[in-house]
Amino acid sequence: MAVLTKTNRIDIRLSDEDKKLIEKAASCSRQSVSSYIISVIIKQAELDLKQYETITLSNQDRDFVLNLLENPGEPNEALKSLFR
């Protein structure tokens, strides 16, 4: 199993209340504060990227797009001139 070397740092400032909250949550999950923060941030980053990279369509919009893909319209003059 490969050992990952952690060489990068991110410094943050937070209120006393936020720090206490994070410390309590880390303790409840039996993790160090650093491990807890990393696990939470990584999970959230993955969710944010998935949402950013995914387009969700309603059934009506999906059917509209599929219909356009299956039955494209005739090219207009602007498109024809673009390909000339």
Side-chain angles (χ1 to χ4, degrees):
M1 181 153 114
V3 176
L4 297 177
T5 303
K6 297 178 181 179
T7 59
N8 294 294
R9 293 181 61 91
I10 296 177
D11 295 316
I12 59 172
R13 296 197 180 277
L14 60 160
S15 68
D16 289 339
E17 295 81 19
D18 289 343
K19 183 179 180 194
K20 288 175 186 172
L21 178 68
I22 292 167
E23 288 171 337
K24 185 174 181 179
S27 176
C28 289
S29 62
R30 296 188 170 103
Q31 297 182 62
S32 69
V33 171
S34 291
S35 293
Y36 177 76
I37 290 172
I38 291 168
S39 68
V40 170
I41 293 297
I42 295 298
K43 286 176 194 171
Q44 187 62 49
E46 289 170 345
L47 288 172
D48 291 346
L49 289 173
K50 182 177 180 182
Q51 182 178 358
Y52 175 79
E53 295 169 346
T54 303
I55 298 173
T56 304
L57 299 175
S58 67
N59 288 339
Q60 180 181 0
D61 291 338
R62 181 208 57 222
D63 293 343
F64 179 76
V65 169
L66 289 175
N67 183 50
L68 287 175
L69 291 172
E70 292 170 357
N71 305 300
E74 292 296 317
N76 61 23
E77 286 305 314
L79 184 60
K80 288 178 186 177
S81 67
L82 180 67
F83 281 95
R84 287 187 203 135

